[in-house]
């Protein structure tokens, strides 16, 4: 069942839904989506995974080995200068 | 000293005093053991700023602000003679760091370099860090040595950074406190990162006693911890502390993934694997918050600290680089990287590694 923010657990700080204020999500050009935890994520095959961190980083590059959580795999790779 | 029982102490107790490594550490230890007995002032001006003696002397002075040492009067934390000597040691260390650290021109250059990962095909010639070595060719004894060194920090993980909280305000303070809260287990004692690390040490058959490996570790590791204490205890270095913290958080996630793989490959137990797995995920979040809100918030309020933040990043990278070189040089030569080698690895660890068993 998709996560319904209005019925979900209350985030502990600003941007939460308890006060009726919209939940703020932070997106950069690259890198993960940041949102306040706890969150549940339903993935493509219907599996629901949850994270109770105060802030959660959701993978957007799809390279994470811990998908849907960010594991910094989006980072640029280069030959080391040394 | 080397005949101490393997799990003699709990994580909560202060460690025993270390053995001296030269005139500076001898002077500090003398003051702690015999506060009333005068001792000639050592010459700090000519000491090697990165050497065993100075780094141990400084570490011992700083430890009085954490948990102190068994049998040492807690009030010596504020002993004017020790604080005077500590200031001279700090001056020598900091002056050397400012001179020797390869400096980035701007903060964004420094951050940009941290955010680029080396090409990471296992065994690739460009991937030369300690975590790469441990993942690709680390034997159980290498992992155990690595954890023994790192225990000097990880058993007080996040403590040096807590000192910066009163020196921040607004967005930077709120974000820093949130990350620290996560480091301290989010209110759950069993999730405190220092405790998770103790679990890792148990899995590797190491002594989890706080400070147990102080005599065994080297100047390069002590310098890493001293840098945090130096930046944490001086309000004037709050920008550098924030830069240091950002470096730790940004580099931790990919490094932890390699170390988790190393632990799996060596057949280490679940707590050892969990410690690094947890850091992959937690620090992917922390680095975002530290960059956006801690650094961003601090520089919004005090833009003149940008150079200090950059220095904190560069100094951390410089000292971590020295530590890595020391470890790899020892291991490639088939030697222990510790001053006193560990007792042999237990059969279980060695056996799992030999068969390449994946758990």
């Amino acid at each position: 069942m998709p996560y319904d923010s209005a019925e979900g657990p209350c985030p502990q700080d600003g941007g939460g839904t308890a006060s009726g204020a919209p939940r703020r999500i932070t997106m950069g050009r690259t890198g993960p989506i940041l949102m306040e935890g706890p969150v549940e994520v339903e993935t493509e095959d219907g599996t629901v995974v949850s994270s109770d961190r105060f802030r959660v980083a959701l993978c957007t590059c799809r390279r994470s080995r811990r998908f849907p959580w960010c594991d910094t795999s989006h980072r640029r790779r280069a030959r080391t200068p040394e | 000293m080397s005949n101490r029982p393997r799990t003699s102490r709990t994580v909560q107790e202060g460690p025993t005093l270390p053995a001296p490594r030269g005139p500076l550490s001898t002077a500090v230890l003398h003051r702690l053991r015999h506060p009333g007995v005068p001792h000639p002032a050592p010459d700090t001006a000519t000491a090697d700023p990165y050497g065993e003696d100075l780094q141990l002397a400084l570490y011992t002075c700083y430890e009085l602000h954490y948990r102190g040492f068994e049998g040492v009067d807690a009030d010596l934390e504020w002993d004017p003679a020790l604080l005077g000597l500590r200031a001279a040691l700090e001056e020598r260390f900091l002056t050397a760091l400012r001179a020797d650290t390869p400096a980035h021109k701007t903060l964004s250059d420094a951050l940009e370099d941290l955010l680029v990962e080396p090409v990471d095909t296992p065994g690739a010639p460009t991937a030369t860090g300690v975590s790469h070595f441990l993942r690709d060719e680390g034997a159980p004894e290498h992992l155990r040595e690595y954890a023994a060194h790192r225990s000097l920090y990880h058993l007080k993980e996040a403590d040096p950074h807590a000192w910066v909280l009163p020196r921040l305000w607004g967005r930077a303070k709120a974000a820093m406190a949130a990350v620290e809260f996560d480091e301290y287990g989010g209110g759950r004692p069993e999730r405190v990162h220092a405790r998770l690390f103790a679990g890792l040490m148990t899995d590797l058959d190491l002594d989890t006693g706080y400070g147990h490996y102080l005599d065994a570790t080297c100047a390069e590791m002590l310098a890493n911890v001293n840098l945090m204490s130096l930046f944490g205890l001086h309000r004037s270095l709050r920008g550098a502390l924030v830069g240091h913290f950002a470096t730790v958080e940004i580099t931790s996630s990919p490094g932890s993934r390699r170390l988790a793989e190393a632990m799996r490959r060596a057949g280490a137990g679940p707590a050892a694997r969990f410690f690094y797995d947890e850091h992959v995920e937690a620090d992917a979040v922390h680095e975002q918050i530290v960059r956006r809100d801690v650094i961003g918030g601090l520089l919004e309020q005090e833009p003149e600290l940008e150079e200090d933040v950059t220095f904190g990043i560069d100094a951390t990278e410089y000292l971590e680089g020295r530590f890595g070189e020391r470890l790899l040089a020892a291991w490639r030569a088939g030697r222990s990287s510790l001053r006193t080698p560990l007792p042999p690895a237990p059969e279980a660890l060695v056996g799992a590694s030999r068969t390449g068993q994946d758990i």
Side-chain angles (χ1 to χ4, degrees):
Chain A
M1 183 177 138
Y3 178 67
D4 179 355
S5 62
E7 311 254 330
C10 294
Q12 288 163 355
D13 47 18
T17 54
S19 61
R23 182 190 298 277
R24 178 170 296 180
I25 287 175
T26 308
M27 293 181 74
R29 196 169 49 80
T30 58
I33 289 174
L34 287 180
M35 60 189 300
E36 273 142 23
V39 298
E40 285 182 350
V41 179
E42 184 176 352
T43 56
E44 202 171 51
D45 63 0
T47 311
V48 175
V49 288
S50 66
S51 172
D52 61 357
R53 292 181 196 287
F54 70 98
R55 198 79 59 90
V56 179
L58 289 175
C59 171
T60 58
C61 73
R62 303 267 164 171
R63 288 202 291 260
S64 174
R65 290 184 225 177
R66 302 179 71 82
F67 193 82
W69 320 123
C70 171
D71 73 349
T72 72
S73 289
H74 57 274
R75 286 188 192 167
R76 201 157 58 80
R77 296 192 177 281
R79 305 231 160 243
T80 45
E82 287 112 296
Chain B
M1 283 252 175
S2 59
N3 291 330
R4 234 179 263 155
R6 294 179 64 73
T7 47
S8 51
R9 329 184 135 262
T10 69
V11 180
Q12 284 76 29
E13 286 174 324
T16 51
L17 285 169
R21 299 183 193 176
L24 301 174
S25 46
T26 298
V28 170
L29 290 163
H30 179 88
R31 186 77 191 164
L32 296 181
R33 284 204 176 95
H34 315 286
V37 184
H39 185 84
D43 175 20
T44 52
T46 55
D48 174 359
Y50 309 109
E52 298 287 349
D53 188 30
L54 185 142
Q55 291 300 327
L56 179 67
L58 196 48
Y59 186 92
T60 306
C61 289
Y62 284 145
E63 189 52 45
L64 301 173
H65 300 284
Y66 296 97
R67 298 206 199 162
F69 294 95
E70 191 188 358
V72 170
D73 182 356
D75 283 331
L76 284 169
E77 179 184 2
W78 300 107
D79 177 66
L82 274 175
L83 292 176
L85 177 53
R86 195 190 89 187
L89 301 173
E90 287 176 325
E91 170 66 22
R92 186 105 182 104
F93 184 36
L94 192 55
T95 302
L97 280 175
R98 290 207 189 272
D100 300 341
T101 296
H104 281 90
K105 277 213 181 83
T106 67
L107 175 58
S108 63
D109 288 349
L111 287 169
E112 190 62 28
D113 276 357
L114 287 182
L115 286 166
V116 175
E117 270 296 294
V119 170
D120 193 20
T121 315
T126 49
T128 53
V130 173
S131 60
H132 296 94
F133 175 93
L134 289 172
R135 179 195 60 190
D136 298 340
E137 46 192 307
E141 54 265 35
H142 296 137
L143 292 177
R144 297 177 75 234
E145 285 194 7
Y146 183 75
H149 283 296
R150 289 287 187 198
S151 70
L152 273 301
Y153 168 61
H154 281 308
L155 290 180
K156 56 173 161 248
E157 187 166 338
D159 289 346
H161 313 112
W163 278 316
V164 85
L165 285 170
R167 288 97 191 245
L168 303 174
W169 66 97
R171 184 153 69 102
K173 185 197 275 285
M176 188 72 197
V179 174
E180 287 282 274
F181 180 68
D182 219 27
E183 300 282 347
Y184 289 134
R188 289 163 295 187
E190 71 280 5
R191 295 289 292 270
V192 174
H193 283 181
R195 187 186 281 195
L196 298 181
F197 192 78
L200 171 144
M201 294 180 80
T202 301
D203 272 0
L204 294 176
D205 200 41
L206 293 169
D207 191 314
T208 61
Y210 180 89
H212 179 84
Y213 293 104
L214 179 52
D215 277 328
T217 197
C218 56
E220 289 82 354
M221 182 61 212
L222 295 179
N224 285 334
V225 189
N226 286 338
L227 187 77
M228 305 175 198
S229 302
L230 171 70
F231 289 168
L233 284 166
H234 290 263
R235 183 167 57 87
S236 61
L237 293 169
R238 63 196 177 283
L241 188 282
V242 164
H244 160 80
F245 192 57
T247 311
V248 172
E249 296 294 348
I250 291 171
T251 54
S252 163
S253 197
S256 295
R257 184 165 77 201
R258 290 186 285 273
L259 291 166
E261 286 169 26
M263 292 293 163
R264 282 192 173 77
R265 199 170 60 78
R273 286 149 20 211
F274 181 72
F275 178 81
Y276 289 114
D277 279 341
E278 160 69 11
H279 279 72
V280 171
E281 216 173 281
D283 294 341
V285 179
H286 294 173
E287 67 115 322
Q288 298 283 338
I289 296 166
V290 173
R291 279 193 294 130
R292 283 162 199 271
D293 295 325
V294 182
I295 293 182
L298 176 71
L299 295 183
E300 213 169 70
Q301 294 153 349
E302 302 186 273
E304 68 280 9
L305 294 184
E306 181 171 333
E307 237 174 84
D308 287 354
V309 177
T310 310
F311 171 65
I313 293 172
D314 289 331
T316 305
E317 285 284 276
Y318 176 63
L319 290 180
E320 277 291 337
R322 289 175 55 97
F323 175 62
E325 282 163 21
R326 154 108 187 198
L327 262 53
L328 292 176
W331 292 342
R332 294 215 164 101
R335 286 185 283 109
S336 168
S337 64
L338 294 166
R339 291 164 55 83
T340 42
L342 297 168
E347 264 312 301
L349 273 179
V350 178
S353 170
R354 238 180 240 140
T355 56
Q357 179 188 339
D358 191 42
I359 304 175

